[in-house]
Amino acid sequence: MTWKDGFILAFHGMISNKLRAILTMLGVIIGVAAVIVLVAIGQGASSMVTSRIETLGTNVIFVSPAAGTPFPVSETNIVAHALPFSLQVVPSMNTGSKVSTLTTQGSAQIAGTTPSYLRLGGISLAAGHFITPEEVSASQHVAVLGANQVSNLFGAQNPVGSSIMIMGQKFQVVGALNAVGQGPGASQDNEIFIPITAAQTLFRTTQLSQMIVKTSNPNQANLTADYLTNLYTNEFGSSTAVSVASEDQVLLTLQATRATFTNLLAGTAAIALLVGGIGIMNIMLVSVTERTREIGIRRALGATREDVLLQFLFESMTMSLSGGLIGVIAGLGIMHLVPLILKTPAVFSPAALILAFVFSTAVGLIFGLYPAIKASGLDPIHALRYDG
Amino acid sequence: MIQVTNLVKDYTLAAQVYRVLNGISFTIPQGMLSAIIGPSGSGKTTLLNILGGLDSPSAGQYLLNGRDVSHFGPDEWAHERNHTIGFVFQSFQLIPALSARDNVALPLVYRGIPQRLRRIRADEELEKVGLGHRIHHRPQQLSGGQQQRVAIARALVANPPVILADEPTGNLDHATGLEILEILRQLSQAGKTVVIVTHSQEVAQVCRQVIEIQDGHIVTNTMEMEHSL
C-alpha cells in the first residue's frame, strides 16, 4: 500500500463518519488552539511590561524595605542629599482599601506620595492636576485617580471636583490620569494618589512602602544603586533588610516571571493536547474492534501486517493533522479576538504555532501506534469470523 | 496446481491437543473444479484456511504451483494470497463502507496499482459478473446474489490462478446458488483452479473432483478424467 493510498483510505474513513471524526479531533483542536492563544496572551503581557519599562527609562531605582525594617518618610531627605549629583527621590506609602462615592463602591491601591511622582514619567493627566506641594504641606484630603478607578467609580463622568470616601475619610478628587496599562508591579490605573502627609495620618504610620530614586543621568544609576545598597547593608547589617533594584534588574525579574507564566500557559495547553491524544487512542481502539472483520478481509486479500498497521496509523495521523489544522485556524481567530474581548494584547508566536502543529502530529503518531499494532496483530481467521 | 502430502493440523485447547487434520494427501490439477466435502466439524474449513495460508499446518508438505509454501510466514502468505489466490466466502465478506467498485479493487491496493487503473480493472470485472450498473452501490444496497458476484469479481480482479470458495452458495437461494456455481464452473474451464468447500452434495455434483473428508481423514477422492472444454 502506498502512502497516497493510505491517506486516501484514512480520509474516506473520516468522511464516512463525520460526527465521530469531529468529536475525536476536538481534543486536538482545543489543545492546538489553546497553545496558540495562551502563548500569544503570555507574550502580549510580556511585551507590554517591556514597553512600559522602556517609557520609564533605565535610570530609575526601586528601594523597598523588607517587612519589619524601619524605613520612615525621613529617609527620603537623607537619600536626596547623600550624593554629589541631583536625585529625584519619590516616597510611596501603599495600602489596599475600599473606596466609595455616594452611589458606587470598589477597592483601590492607595498611594501616598509627593508631586515629584509625576516627574518619574510614565503617567499623564487626563483632567485636573496632580498633587501639589501646597496640598502636601497642608496635608489636604485630595486624590488623583488612576484610569480604572475613574471608570469604576464615576463611569464616563469627569470625576474632578467630586468627593470619594477612603478608609472613612472624605477626599476631594483633583485629578484623573490617562490609562497606562500593566506596568512594573501594580498598574497605576488601579491606584489612587493622595499627599504623603495625608497618607501618614490616614494609615497611622510613617513607614514607607517604597522609595523610587531617579537620576538625571542614566550613567549615574548604577553608582547610585551601589551606594544605596552599601548604605543600607551597613545600616541594618544585612543585605536583605532593604532591597535596591535598578530598572534593569526589575526588568529581568519581570521577564523571568513572564517567561514562567508563558511556560505555564503552554504547559497547560500541552496537557490539553495530551488529553486529545488519549481521546484519539480511545476512538482508534474502538475502531479496531468494530472493524475487526474488515481487517480480516484485508488480510485475506493480501494486506500484510505492515499494511494494516500503516492504515490505522494513517487514520490516527490524518485525524490529528486535521485537528491540528482546524486548531491552528481556530487559535489564530481567537487570538485576534483576545485584544477586543479581554482588553489585553496578544502577540502571535510562530514558534508556538509550529510547536503545536508538530506536537499534534506526534500525538497522532504516538497514540495511534498502540491501536495500529493491535490491529496488525489480529489473527485473520478469527478476524474474519468476528461477529461484532 | 495444489499438492498436499501428509498434512496434519493440531489445535491445543485447555492443554489438550485436538487433531483436526490427520495425514491428508491429495492433488488438485490446474484448471480443476474441485469440491472438498464433509459434515460440519470434519476439518474441511481448516483445510481451506491452510490452502489459503490463513492458517498453517502442524506437519506435512504443501506445494502451490510447484513451490513449497509449507513454511511461509504471515507476510509471505499475504503476498502469495494477493498474487495467487482469490477468496470467495459464504458470508461474502465485503466491506460495508466501500462501494462495489472499491471492494472489488481492494486486492489491487496491496499491489501498489494506482487508483485510476484499479477502478478500470474493477469496473471490467463487475461488468463480467453482470453488475456493471451497480458499481457505486454499497453492499447493503445489493441482494445476496449480487453481493456474492461482487465477491467473485474481487477474487478475480488480480487474475489469480487459484480460487478458494468457502460455502459460496450457503447464504443464497437455490436459483442464485446455481448461477454462482455456473460462474465458478466457467472459471475452471478458463483454466483457473477452483476449490469449493461445501457440505452440499448438489454443489459437489457439479465438480469434476470431489474430496470427501470425515474426522480429519480423506474418505474418498474421485476425479472425472475427461475434459469438457
Side-chain angles (χ1 to χ4, degrees), chain A residues 19 41 43 54 63 79 88 119 139 164 174 200 207 262 356:
Chain A
L19 183 66
I41 291 175
Q43 300 240 324
E54 278 163 2
V63 183
V79 171
Q88 194 81 249
R119 290 197 289 276
S139 187
I164 56 170
V174 293
Q200 286 177 58
Q207 174 80 3
T262 305

Side-chain angles (χ1 to χ4, degrees), chain A residues 184-221:
Chain A
S187 166
Q188 284 102 330
D189 290 346
N190 294 319
E191 290 192 79
I192 293 177
F193 297 91
I194 60 174
I196 184 109
T197 43
Q200 286 177 58
T201 327
L202 194 64
F203 304 165
R204 294 197 185 88
T205 176
T206 57
Q207 174 80 3
L208 283 180
S209 310
Q210 197 179 45
M211 190 163 73
I212 305 161
V213 180
K214 187 175 184 179
T215 62
S216 44
N217 182 344
N219 297 331
Q220 294 162 347

